[in-house]
Structures are given as structure tokens and as C-alpha cells.
């Protein structure tokens, strides 16, 4: 038995889950603070911390009751340590430490970035992680904070091949949506607005893909840049304002063309890695992996001998099930965290993943 209670509070979602043996999710409860932050046009860290403080106990109680278990049935407490907003992380961490201490349970600190990758293997995907044939594996992690390509080998060693040199993909969609007056968070609204639009009407740049006649510096082969797309959108809006050409259809076509530019870059970079590495499995993880166009394009463009894994949307955006799932691997090896572990804001260099033995 390995029932893990997990807590997630790295950004604007307070979440708790009960996961059995690294795979079966018995309960996953997420309380979103989106409405609180929407009025500010983005996440305010102190506000997030205060909201986590209010939500963390009820969310944990609902997870326990939805799984029909009590704290007596739990084997360990897992919690996100980072990367994330420090004030937000500290709420979940202190709460998890308190539960672990009071119930004499081991504590397991989890890396949120790696947990996102694990999200694609919950509810029955554990065998895929354990099969040699699944490797090398390439994980594209795309969220509000990350855009990164991680190569994972059969022995569990890992190498970050590239990442964004400015904005993350989700951040570009969020900022783009704000510029278009669509609201927050931008990704889902951009997708909705793009549904009735023509993605080929406007030509937004595809930075660092070697287009526009510019040679790509070798160090940027697998890197991303999204700030240029955002600036192009700003000029596009200004031009339309000046020529008085903003209308419903313009908005739909702009959203569709902008979304297509972001998705196109993500797919092209993934394909570039495949040219140079014998990848067997591509995992797409993080909030942006919810995007229907990205899911469709990845499935369409990946070679047929590469298997594609994308989590269902509920495990793409922030949740605690992915935290409890990945923590089970540390639990099995008795790799527990001391009660004085600290939170961290930035992604440390990843050289190993914890879910391959
Ligand atoms: O993983 P996540 O919940 O939080 C972070 O760790 O950042 O990702 C949030 C990001 C936001 O930028 C949001 O706009 C984006 O994921 N997102 C989407 C969609 N749903 C969420 N982006 C594109 N299409 C979506 N359907
Ligand atoms: Zn996240």
C-alpha cells in the first residue's frame, strides 16, 4: 500500500489529492483563485498566499472524504517545493509539514516541473514509464512559467535541451489575450476566441525557428522566444486601431493566427529535437498542453513511430494528483524530506528524474 496525501500551492490553485501507488488517483480536488486574480490581470503572490491559507484545509478535507479515507490510511504527505511563488508555496509546505508531524508521517518534497511531466502517466500510465521501449523520452513542458524541452534517458538521467529565453508559452498567450482585451487567464480564452477564426489570415513571427531568412545561432537550436510574437501583436493591434479595422471577425482571426504562431513554434522545436535524437515517446505537459490546437498539431506532425502522451486536461493544469503520483517513487525508496526543507522559486538544473529506477 502506498496512499499519499499531496498538496499543491505553487501558483493560483490550491489542490489536494489522494493517489495510490503512484498511479491510481482516488481523489483530486482543485480550488482555483482565478476570479480573485482576474481583476488584477495576473497572479498577485501575496493575494495567492492568503487564498491558499483559506482553501488548504477545506480542499484537503474534501480530498480525504472523496477518496473515502482518513489520515490513518495515509502513508506519506507530499508537497510541492517549487518552482513557484514563494509566499504561495510556503502555505502548502507549512500545512503539509504540520500534518506530517502531527500524524508521524514521512514528508516528501516535490519538484513541480517534474510533477507536470508525471501528470501524463497518472491513472494507468505507470507501465509506460517502466518500459525500456519508451526511451529516450522527450518532455515538452509548457505552462505559465515554463517552456522547456527535457530529454529523459532509460537510466533516469535527464538533460534540458532548451528552454525559453524570455516569456513562457502560457505567458505569451496570457499577455496576448490581455492585449486583445479578452481577460485572464489568456490561454483558454484565446483558444475559445480562435475557434471561429482563420489562422492563416495574419502572419505572426515564429521566433528562433530559423525563418525570415535569419540563420539560427547553434545555442538557440532548442530554445524558445515568445516576446517577439507579443510585440508583433501589439503593433498589429495598433495598426488595426489606426485603420479602424477592428471588428468581431478581425478579433477571431487575430486570436487564431496568434495561437497558431505559438503552437507552430512548439511543434517545430519538438520536431527539431527528433531530427537529432532517437526519441521514442513525446510527452506534452503543463497548462498549455490543454490547448486543442497544440494537441491536434502534435498528433498530426509527429512521426508515426513516436508515441505521443498528453495528459487529460485535468492533469495538465496545476493539480495535486501529479504531485502525489511522482512522490510515490521517493516513498518506495524511503527518500524522505526533513521537516526543515525550504521552498524554491526557480527551476534547478535537472540531471535526473525520480520516477525511473
Ligand atoms: O500548469 P499551469 O496550470 O500553471 C503553471 O505552472 O504555470 O499553466 C497555466 C497556463 C496559463 O498560462 C494558461 O493560460 C495556460 O496554462 N492554459 C492554456 C489553456 N489552458 C490553460 N493555454 C492554451 N490553451 C488552453 N486551453
Ligand atoms: Zn504548473
Amino acid at each position: 500500500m502506498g496512499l499519499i496525501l499531496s498538496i499543491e500551492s505553487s501558483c493560483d490553485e490550491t489542490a489536494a489529492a489522494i493517489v495510490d501507488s503512484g498511479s491510481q488517483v482516488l481523489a483530486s480536488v482543485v480550488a482555483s483563485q482565478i476570479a480573485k486574480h482576474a481583476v488584477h490581470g495576473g497572479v498577485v503572490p501575496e493575494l495567492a498566499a492568503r487564498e491558499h491559507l483559506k482553501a488548504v484545509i477545506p480542499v484537503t478535507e474534501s480530498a480525504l472524504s472523496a477518496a473515502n479515507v482518513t489520515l490513518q490510511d495515509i502513508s506519506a504527505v507530499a508537497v510541492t517545493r517549487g518552482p513557484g511563488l514563494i509566499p504561495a508555496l510556503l502555505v502548502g509546505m507549512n500545512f503539509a509539514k504540520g500534518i506530517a508531524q502531527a500524524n508521524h508521517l514521512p514528508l516528501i518534497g516535490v519538484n513541480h516541473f517534474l510533477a507536470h511531466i508525471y501528470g501524463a502517466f497518472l491513472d494507468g500510465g505507470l507501465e509506460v514509464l517502466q518500459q525500456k521501449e519508451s526511451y529516450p523520452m522527450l518532455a515538452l513542458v509548457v505552462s505559465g512559467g515554463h517552456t522547456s524541452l527535457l530529454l529523459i534517458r532509460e537510466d533516469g538521467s535527464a538533460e534540458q535541451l532548451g528552454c525559453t529565453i524570455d516569456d513562457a508559452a502560457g505567458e505569451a498567450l496570457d499577455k496576448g489575450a490581455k492585449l486583445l482585451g479578452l481577460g485572464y487567464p489568456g490561454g483558454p480564452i484565446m483558444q475559445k476566441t480562435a475557434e471561429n477564426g482563420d489562422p492563416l489570415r495574419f502572419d505572426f513571427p515564429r521566433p528562433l525557428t530559423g525563418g525570415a531568412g535569419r540563420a539560427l545561432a547553434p545555442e538557440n537550436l532548442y530554445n524558445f522566444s515568445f516576446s517577439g510574437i507579443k510585440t508583433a501583436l501589439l503593433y498589429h493591434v495598433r495598426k488595426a486601431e489606426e485603420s479602424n479595422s477592428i471588428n468581431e471577425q478581425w478579433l477571431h482571426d487575430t486570436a487564431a493566427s496568434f495561437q497558431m504562431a505559438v503552437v507552430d513554434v512548439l511543434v517545430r522545436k519538438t520536431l527539431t529535437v527528433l531530427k537529432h535524437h532517437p526519441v521514442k515517446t513525446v510527452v506534452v505537459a503543463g497548462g498549455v498542453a490543454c490547448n486543442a490546437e497544440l494537441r491536434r498539431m502534435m498528433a498530426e506532425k509527429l512521426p508515426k513511430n513516436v508515441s505521443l502522451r498528453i495528459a487529460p486536461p485535468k492533469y495538465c493544469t496545476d493539480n495535486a494528483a501529479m504531485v502525489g503520483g511522482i512522490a510515490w517513487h521517493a516513498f518506495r525508496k524511503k527518500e524522505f524530506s526533513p521537516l526543515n526543507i525550504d521552498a524554491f522559486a526557480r527551476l534547478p538544473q535537472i540531471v535526473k528524474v525520480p520516477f525511473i529506477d
Side-chain angles (χ1 to χ4, degrees), residues 72-131:
Q72 275 75 52
D73 304 310
I74 299 296
S75 305
V77 183
V79 66
T80 300
R81 289 183 66 184
L85 306 169
I86 296 293
L89 287 163
L90 290 179
V91 176
M93 286 184 71
N94 283 330
F95 178 72
K97 287 178 183 187
I99 297 213
Q101 171 90 321
N103 295 279
H104 310 287
L105 293 170
L107 179 75
I108 300 165
V110 166
N111 179 314
H112 180 86
F113 174 88
L114 294 175
H116 266 303
I117 298 172
Y118 199 88
F121 299 94
L122 291 168
D123 284 342
L126 193 54
E127 310 82 67
V128 180
L129 278 181
Q130 286 164 344
Q131 282 158 2

Short mmCIF file of all heavy atoms in Angstrom, two decimals, residues 72-131:
data_model
loop_
_atom_site.label_atom_id
_atom_site.label_comp_id
_atom_site.label_asym_id
_atom_site.label_seq_id
_atom_site.Cartn_x
_atom_site.Cartn_y
_atom_site.Cartn_z
N GLN A 72 -5.51 8.22 8.98
CA GLN A 72 -4.94 6.94 9.46
C GLN A 72 -4.56 6.02 8.29
O GLN A 72 -3.70 5.15 8.43
CB GLN A 72 -5.93 6.18 10.36
CG GLN A 72 -5.91 6.61 11.82
CD GLN A 72 -6.58 7.96 12.00
OE1 GLN A 72 -7.69 8.16 11.56
NE2 GLN A 72 -5.90 8.90 12.64
N ASP A 73 -5.21 6.21 7.15
CA ASP A 73 -4.93 5.35 5.99
C ASP A 73 -3.74 5.85 5.16
O ASP A 73 -3.28 5.16 4.24
CB ASP A 73 -6.15 5.30 5.05
CG ASP A 73 -7.39 4.83 5.76
OD1 ASP A 73 -7.33 3.79 6.43
OD2 ASP A 73 -8.43 5.52 5.67
N ILE A 74 -3.27 7.04 5.46
CA ILE A 74 -2.24 7.68 4.63
C ILE A 74 -0.83 7.21 5.02
O ILE A 74 -0.52 7.07 6.20
CB ILE A 74 -2.34 9.23 4.76
CG1 ILE A 74 -3.71 9.72 4.28
CG2 ILE A 74 -1.20 9.95 4.05
CD1 ILE A 74 -4.02 9.49 2.82
N SER A 75 0.02 6.98 4.00
CA SER A 75 1.39 6.50 4.26
C SER A 75 2.42 7.63 4.26
O SER A 75 3.49 7.49 4.83
CB SER A 75 1.82 5.49 3.20
OG SER A 75 0.89 4.46 3.12
N ALA A 76 2.14 8.72 3.52
CA ALA A 76 3.11 9.83 3.45
C ALA A 76 2.39 11.09 2.97
O ALA A 76 1.32 11.02 2.36
CB ALA A 76 4.24 9.50 2.48
N VAL A 77 3.02 12.24 3.26
CA VAL A 77 2.48 13.52 2.80
C VAL A 77 3.46 14.12 1.79
O VAL A 77 4.65 14.26 2.09
CB VAL A 77 2.28 14.51 3.98
CG1 VAL A 77 1.64 15.81 3.49
CG2 VAL A 77 1.44 13.89 5.08
N ALA A 78 2.96 14.43 0.60
CA ALA A 78 3.82 15.03 -0.43
C ALA A 78 3.40 16.48 -0.64
O ALA A 78 2.22 16.82 -0.50
CB ALA A 78 3.67 14.26 -1.74
N VAL A 79 4.38 17.30 -0.98
CA VAL A 79 4.06 18.72 -1.19
C VAL A 79 5.00 19.34 -2.22
O VAL A 79 6.17 18.98 -2.30
CB VAL A 79 4.11 19.50 0.16
CG1 VAL A 79 5.51 19.58 0.73
CG2 VAL A 79 3.54 20.91 -0.01
N THR A 80 4.45 20.27 -3.01
CA THR A 80 5.27 20.99 -3.99
C THR A 80 6.20 21.96 -3.28
O THR A 80 5.76 22.77 -2.47
CB THR A 80 4.35 21.79 -4.94
OG1 THR A 80 3.50 20.88 -5.60
CG2 THR A 80 5.15 22.59 -5.94
N ARG A 81 7.51 21.87 -3.62
CA ARG A 81 8.52 22.79 -3.03
C ARG A 81 8.82 23.95 -3.96
O ARG A 81 9.33 24.97 -3.56
CB ARG A 81 9.85 22.05 -2.84
CG ARG A 81 9.86 21.04 -1.76
CD ARG A 81 11.25 20.44 -1.65
NE ARG A 81 12.22 21.43 -1.20
CZ ARG A 81 13.53 21.21 -1.09
NH1 ARG A 81 14.01 20.02 -1.40
NH2 ARG A 81 14.35 22.15 -0.66
N GLY A 82 8.62 23.77 -5.24
CA GLY A 82 8.95 24.78 -6.23
C GLY A 82 9.15 24.10 -7.56
O GLY A 82 9.08 22.87 -7.62
N PRO A 83 9.39 24.81 -8.65
CA PRO A 83 9.41 26.26 -8.74
C PRO A 83 8.00 26.84 -8.57
O PRO A 83 7.02 26.19 -8.90
CB PRO A 83 9.92 26.53 -10.15
CG PRO A 83 10.29 25.21 -10.73
CD PRO A 83 9.63 24.16 -9.93
N GLY A 84 7.95 28.07 -8.10
CA GLY A 84 6.67 28.73 -7.91
C GLY A 84 6.82 30.01 -7.14
O GLY A 84 7.94 30.47 -6.89
N LEU A 85 5.70 30.56 -6.74
CA LEU A 85 5.70 31.81 -5.97
C LEU A 85 5.98 31.47 -4.51
O LEU A 85 5.22 30.70 -3.91
CB LEU A 85 4.35 32.51 -6.09
CG LEU A 85 3.85 32.78 -7.52
CD1 LEU A 85 2.39 33.22 -7.49
CD2 LEU A 85 4.73 33.83 -8.18
N ILE A 86 7.05 32.02 -3.96
CA ILE A 86 7.45 31.63 -2.60
C ILE A 86 6.33 31.81 -1.55
O ILE A 86 6.04 30.86 -0.81
CB ILE A 86 8.75 32.37 -2.17
CG1 ILE A 86 9.92 31.95 -3.08
CG2 ILE A 86 9.09 32.11 -0.71
CD1 ILE A 86 10.37 30.50 -2.96
N PRO A 87 5.66 32.96 -1.48
CA PRO A 87 4.62 33.08 -0.45
C PRO A 87 3.53 32.03 -0.61
O PRO A 87 3.01 31.51 0.38
CB PRO A 87 4.04 34.49 -0.68
CG PRO A 87 5.03 35.21 -1.52
CD PRO A 87 5.77 34.17 -2.31
N ALA A 88 3.22 31.69 -1.86
CA ALA A 88 2.19 30.68 -2.12
C ALA A 88 2.68 29.29 -1.72
O ALA A 88 1.97 28.53 -1.04
CB ALA A 88 1.82 30.71 -3.60
N LEU A 89 3.91 28.97 -2.10
CA LEU A 89 4.47 27.65 -1.78
C LEU A 89 4.53 27.42 -0.27
O LEU A 89 4.26 26.32 0.22
CB LEU A 89 5.90 27.54 -2.34
CG LEU A 89 6.01 27.38 -3.86
CD1 LEU A 89 7.43 27.71 -4.32
CD2 LEU A 89 5.65 25.97 -4.29
N LEU A 90 4.93 28.48 0.47
CA LEU A 90 5.13 28.32 1.91
C LEU A 90 3.85 27.90 2.63
O LEU A 90 3.90 27.18 3.62
CB LEU A 90 5.69 29.61 2.52
CG LEU A 90 7.14 29.93 2.14
CD1 LEU A 90 7.58 31.25 2.77
CD2 LEU A 90 8.09 28.81 2.56
N VAL A 91 2.71 28.33 2.12
CA VAL A 91 1.44 27.97 2.77
C VAL A 91 1.24 26.45 2.68
O VAL A 91 1.01 25.78 3.69
CB VAL A 91 0.25 28.71 2.12
CG1 VAL A 91 -1.07 28.23 2.74
CG2 VAL A 91 0.40 30.21 2.28
N GLY A 92 1.36 25.91 1.47
CA GLY A 92 1.18 24.47 1.29
C GLY A 92 2.23 23.68 2.04
O GLY A 92 1.93 22.64 2.64
N MET A 93 3.47 24.18 2.02
CA MET A 93 4.56 23.44 2.67
C MET A 93 4.38 23.40 4.19
O MET A 93 4.55 22.35 4.81
CB MET A 93 5.90 24.08 2.32
CG MET A 93 6.32 23.76 0.90
SD MET A 93 7.92 24.40 0.53
CE MET A 93 8.97 23.33 1.49
N ASN A 94 4.04 24.54 4.78
CA ASN A 94 3.86 24.54 6.23
C ASN A 94 2.70 23.67 6.65
O ASN A 94 2.75 22.98 7.67
CB ASN A 94 3.68 25.97 6.75
CG ASN A 94 5.02 26.70 6.78
OD1 ASN A 94 6.06 26.07 6.97
ND2 ASN A 94 5.01 27.99 6.58
N PHE A 95 1.66 23.69 5.85
CA PHE A 95 0.49 22.86 6.14
C PHE A 95 0.87 21.37 6.07
O PHE A 95 0.57 20.59 6.98
CB PHE A 95 -0.62 23.20 5.15
CG PHE A 95 -1.85 22.36 5.31
CD1 PHE A 95 -2.70 22.53 6.41
CD2 PHE A 95 -2.17 21.38 4.38
CE1 PHE A 95 -3.84 21.75 6.56
CE2 PHE A 95 -3.31 20.60 4.52
CZ PHE A 95 -4.14 20.78 5.62
N ALA A 96 1.57 21.01 4.99
CA ALA A 96 1.97 19.60 4.80
C ALA A 96 2.91 19.16 5.94
O ALA A 96 2.79 18.03 6.45
CB ALA A 96 2.66 19.43 3.45
N LYS A 97 3.81 20.04 6.32
CA LYS A 97 4.73 19.70 7.42
C LYS A 97 3.96 19.46 8.72
O LYS A 97 4.25 18.53 9.47
CB LYS A 97 5.74 20.84 7.64
CG LYS A 97 6.80 20.93 6.55
CD LYS A 97 7.72 22.11 6.81
CE LYS A 97 8.74 22.27 5.70
NZ LYS A 97 9.75 23.30 6.01
N GLY A 98 2.97 20.31 8.96
CA GLY A 98 2.15 20.18 10.18
C GLY A 98 1.44 18.84 10.20
O GLY A 98 1.43 18.13 11.21
N ILE A 99 0.83 18.47 9.07
CA ILE A 99 0.10 17.18 9.01
C ILE A 99 1.06 16.02 9.21
O ILE A 99 0.78 15.07 9.93
CB ILE A 99 -0.60 17.03 7.65
CG1 ILE A 99 -1.65 18.10 7.48
CG2 ILE A 99 -1.22 15.63 7.53
CD1 ILE A 99 -2.85 17.70 6.70
N ALA A 100 2.23 16.11 8.54
CA ALA A 100 3.20 15.02 8.64
C ALA A 100 3.66 14.86 10.10
O ALA A 100 3.67 13.76 10.65
CB ALA A 100 4.39 15.30 7.72
N GLN A 101 4.00 15.99 10.72
CA GLN A 101 4.49 15.98 12.10
C GLN A 101 3.44 15.43 13.06
O GLN A 101 3.71 14.54 13.86
CB GLN A 101 4.85 17.43 12.47
CG GLN A 101 5.16 17.68 13.92
CD GLN A 101 6.65 17.49 14.16
OE1 GLN A 101 7.28 16.59 13.61
NE2 GLN A 101 7.22 18.33 15.00
N ALA A 102 2.23 15.94 12.95
CA ALA A 102 1.17 15.57 13.89
C ALA A 102 0.75 14.12 13.74
O ALA A 102 0.30 13.50 14.69
CB ALA A 102 -0.03 16.49 13.70
N ASN A 103 0.91 13.57 12.53
CA ASN A 103 0.45 12.20 12.29
C ASN A 103 1.60 11.20 12.13
O ASN A 103 1.38 10.06 11.72
CB ASN A 103 -0.45 12.16 11.05
CG ASN A 103 -1.73 12.95 11.25
OD1 ASN A 103 -2.67 12.47 11.85
ND2 ASN A 103 -1.74 14.19 10.80
N HIS A 104 2.81 11.66 12.46
CA HIS A 104 4.01 10.80 12.38
C HIS A 104 4.15 10.18 10.99
O HIS A 104 4.41 8.99 10.84
CB HIS A 104 3.99 9.71 13.45
CG HIS A 104 3.70 10.27 14.81
ND1 HIS A 104 4.63 11.00 15.50
CD2 HIS A 104 2.58 10.25 15.55
CE1 HIS A 104 4.08 11.42 16.64
NE2 HIS A 104 2.85 10.97 16.69
N LEU A 105 3.97 11.02 9.97
CA LEU A 105 4.08 10.54 8.59
C LEU A 105 5.31 11.14 7.94
O LEU A 105 5.68 12.28 8.23
CB LEU A 105 2.83 10.97 7.78
CG LEU A 105 1.51 10.32 8.19
CD1 LEU A 105 0.35 11.01 7.47
CD2 LEU A 105 1.53 8.84 7.86
N PRO A 106 5.94 10.38 7.01
CA PRO A 106 7.07 10.97 6.30
C PRO A 106 6.61 12.08 5.35
O PRO A 106 5.49 12.05 4.83
CB PRO A 106 7.66 9.80 5.53
CG PRO A 106 6.64 8.73 5.51
CD PRO A 106 5.70 8.98 6.64
N LEU A 107 7.51 13.04 5.11
CA LEU A 107 7.22 14.17 4.22
C LEU A 107 8.05 13.99 2.95
O LEU A 107 9.21 13.57 3.00
CB LEU A 107 7.64 15.47 4.93
CG LEU A 107 7.43 16.77 4.15
CD1 LEU A 107 5.95 17.14 4.11
CD2 LEU A 107 8.23 17.91 4.78
N ILE A 108 7.45 14.31 1.80
CA ILE A 108 8.19 14.22 0.53
C ILE A 108 8.01 15.52 -0.25
O ILE A 108 6.90 15.86 -0.67
CB ILE A 108 7.69 13.01 -0.32
CG1 ILE A 108 7.91 11.70 0.45
CG2 ILE A 108 8.42 12.96 -1.66
CD1 ILE A 108 7.15 10.51 -0.10
N GLY A 109 9.10 16.25 -0.41
CA GLY A 109 9.07 17.49 -1.19
C GLY A 109 9.19 17.17 -2.67
O GLY A 109 9.98 16.31 -3.07
N VAL A 110 8.39 17.85 -3.49
CA VAL A 110 8.30 17.51 -4.91
C VAL A 110 8.62 18.71 -5.80
O VAL A 110 8.25 19.85 -5.49
CB VAL A 110 6.87 16.96 -5.21
CG1 VAL A 110 6.59 16.91 -6.69
CG2 VAL A 110 6.69 15.58 -4.58
N ASN A 111 9.30 18.43 -6.92
CA ASN A 111 9.58 19.44 -7.93
C ASN A 111 8.34 19.54 -8.85
O ASN A 111 7.96 18.57 -9.51
CB ASN A 111 10.82 19.01 -8.72
CG ASN A 111 11.18 19.99 -9.81
OD1 ASN A 111 10.34 20.46 -10.56
ND2 ASN A 111 12.47 20.29 -9.92
N HIS A 112 7.76 20.72 -8.88
CA HIS A 112 6.51 20.96 -9.63
C HIS A 112 6.68 20.71 -11.13
O HIS A 112 5.78 20.18 -11.79
CB HIS A 112 6.09 22.41 -9.37
CG HIS A 112 4.85 22.85 -10.05
ND1 HIS A 112 3.60 22.66 -9.51
CD2 HIS A 112 4.65 23.49 -11.22
CE1 HIS A 112 2.69 23.17 -10.33
NE2 HIS A 112 3.31 23.68 -11.38
N PHE A 113 7.82 21.08 -11.67
CA PHE A 113 8.10 20.93 -13.09
C PHE A 113 8.08 19.44 -13.48
O PHE A 113 7.44 19.03 -14.46
CB PHE A 113 9.48 21.56 -13.38
CG PHE A 113 10.00 21.37 -14.76
CD1 PHE A 113 9.70 22.26 -15.77
CD2 PHE A 113 10.84 20.29 -15.06
CE1 PHE A 113 10.21 22.09 -17.05
CE2 PHE A 113 11.36 20.12 -16.33
CZ PHE A 113 11.04 21.02 -17.33
N LEU A 114 8.76 18.62 -12.67
CA LEU A 114 8.78 17.17 -12.96
C LEU A 114 7.41 16.54 -12.71
O LEU A 114 7.01 15.61 -13.41
CB LEU A 114 9.85 16.48 -12.11
CG LEU A 114 11.30 16.87 -12.45
CD1 LEU A 114 12.28 16.22 -11.48
CD2 LEU A 114 11.65 16.47 -13.89
N ALA A 115 6.69 17.10 -11.71
CA ALA A 115 5.34 16.59 -11.44
C ALA A 115 4.44 16.80 -12.65
O ALA A 115 3.62 15.95 -12.99
CB ALA A 115 4.76 17.27 -10.20
N HIS A 116 4.61 17.94 -13.35
CA HIS A 116 3.81 18.18 -14.56
C HIS A 116 4.02 17.05 -15.58
O HIS A 116 3.08 16.57 -16.19
CB HIS A 116 4.18 19.52 -15.20
CG HIS A 116 3.29 20.66 -14.76
ND1 HIS A 116 1.93 20.62 -14.91
CD2 HIS A 116 3.58 21.86 -14.18
CE1 HIS A 116 1.41 21.74 -14.44
NE2 HIS A 116 2.39 22.52 -13.99
N ILE A 117 5.27 16.62 -15.75
CA ILE A 117 5.55 15.54 -16.70
C ILE A 117 4.83 14.26 -16.24
O ILE A 117 4.20 13.55 -17.01
CB ILE A 117 7.08 15.29 -16.81
CG1 ILE A 117 7.77 16.55 -17.34
CG2 ILE A 117 7.37 14.07 -17.71
CD1 ILE A 117 9.28 16.50 -17.32
N TYR A 118 4.90 14.02 -14.92
CA TYR A 118 4.29 12.81 -14.37
C TYR A 118 2.77 12.78 -14.59
O TYR A 118 2.16 11.72 -14.68
CB TYR A 118 4.61 12.69 -12.87
CG TYR A 118 4.43 11.28 -12.36
CD1 TYR A 118 5.46 10.37 -12.43
CD2 TYR A 118 3.21 10.86 -11.84
CE1 TYR A 118 5.30 9.06 -12.00
CE2 TYR A 118 3.03 9.56 -11.40
CZ TYR A 118 4.07 8.67 -11.48
OH TYR A 118 3.91 7.38 -11.06
N GLY A 119 2.18 13.98 -14.70
CA GLY A 119 0.73 14.10 -14.92
C GLY A 119 0.25 13.30 -16.13
O GLY A 119 -0.89 12.84 -16.18
N ALA A 120 1.14 13.09 -17.10
CA ALA A 120 0.76 12.36 -18.31
C ALA A 120 0.74 10.84 -18.08
O ALA A 120 0.42 10.08 -19.00
CB ALA A 120 1.72 12.72 -19.45
N PHE A 121 1.12 10.40 -16.88
CA PHE A 121 1.22 8.96 -16.63
C PHE A 121 0.32 8.51 -15.48
O PHE A 121 0.45 7.39 -14.98
CB PHE A 121 2.67 8.58 -16.35
CG PHE A 121 3.56 8.89 -17.53
CD1 PHE A 121 4.24 10.10 -17.60
CD2 PHE A 121 3.66 8.01 -18.59
CE1 PHE A 121 5.02 10.41 -18.71
CE2 PHE A 121 4.42 8.31 -19.71
CZ PHE A 121 5.12 9.52 -19.77
N LEU A 122 -0.58 9.37 -15.03
CA LEU A 122 -1.49 9.00 -13.94
C LEU A 122 -2.61 8.11 -14.50
O LEU A 122 -2.80 8.05 -15.71
CB LEU A 122 -2.11 10.26 -13.32
CG LEU A 122 -1.15 11.14 -12.51
CD1 LEU A 122 -1.80 12.48 -12.21
CD2 LEU A 122 -0.73 10.45 -11.22
N ASP A 123 -3.33 7.46 -13.59
CA ASP A 123 -4.47 6.64 -13.97
C ASP A 123 -4.13 5.60 -15.04
O ASP A 123 -4.79 5.53 -16.09
CB ASP A 123 -5.64 7.53 -14.45
CG ASP A 123 -6.35 8.20 -13.28
OD1 ASP A 123 -6.20 7.74 -12.13
OD2 ASP A 123 -7.05 9.19 -13.53
N GLY A 124 -3.07 4.86 -14.80
CA GLY A 124 -2.80 3.73 -15.68
C GLY A 124 -1.62 3.86 -16.62
O GLY A 124 -1.45 3.02 -17.50
N GLY A 125 -0.80 4.88 -16.47
CA GLY A 125 0.32 5.04 -17.40
C GLY A 125 1.66 4.61 -16.83
O GLY A 125 2.70 4.72 -17.50
N LEU A 126 1.64 4.08 -15.61
CA LEU A 126 2.89 3.73 -14.93
C LEU A 126 3.72 2.71 -15.72
O LEU A 126 4.95 2.81 -15.76
CB LEU A 126 2.56 3.19 -13.53
CG LEU A 126 3.69 3.05 -12.52
CD1 LEU A 126 4.44 4.37 -12.37
CD2 LEU A 126 3.14 2.61 -11.17
N GLU A 127 3.04 1.77 -16.38
CA GLU A 127 3.77 0.75 -17.14
C GLU A 127 4.61 1.39 -18.24
O GLU A 127 5.72 0.94 -18.52
CB GLU A 127 2.83 -0.27 -17.82
CG GLU A 127 1.78 -0.89 -16.94
CD GLU A 127 0.58 0.03 -16.80
OE1 GLU A 127 -0.11 0.24 -17.80
OE2 GLU A 127 0.33 0.55 -15.69
N VAL A 128 4.06 2.43 -18.85
CA VAL A 128 4.79 3.09 -19.95
C VAL A 128 6.10 3.67 -19.41
O VAL A 128 7.15 3.58 -20.05
CB VAL A 128 3.92 4.21 -20.58
CG1 VAL A 128 4.66 4.89 -21.72
CG2 VAL A 128 2.59 3.65 -21.05
N LEU A 129 6.06 4.22 -18.20
CA LEU A 129 7.27 4.78 -17.59
C LEU A 129 8.28 3.68 -17.29
O LEU A 129 9.48 3.93 -17.22
CB LEU A 129 6.93 5.48 -16.28
CG LEU A 129 6.39 6.91 -16.34
CD1 LEU A 129 6.14 7.44 -14.94
CD2 LEU A 129 7.36 7.83 -17.07
N GLN A 130 7.77 2.48 -17.04
CA GLN A 130 8.66 1.39 -16.62
C GLN A 130 9.20 0.57 -17.79
O GLN A 130 10.07 -0.27 -17.61
CB GLN A 130 7.93 0.49 -15.62
CG GLN A 130 7.83 1.19 -14.26
CD GLN A 130 6.81 0.55 -13.34
OE1 GLN A 130 5.96 -0.22 -13.77
NE2 GLN A 130 6.87 0.89 -12.06
N GLN A 131 8.66 0.83 -19.00
CA GLN A 131 9.13 0.05 -20.16
C GLN A 131 10.35 0.70 -20.81
O GLN A 131 10.32 1.89 -21.11
CB GLN A 131 8.02 -0.03 -21.22
CG GLN A 131 6.94 -1.02 -20.90
CD GLN A 131 5.64 -0.70 -21.65
OE1 GLN A 131 5.58 0.23 -22.44
NE2 GLN A 131 4.62 -1.49 -21.38
#
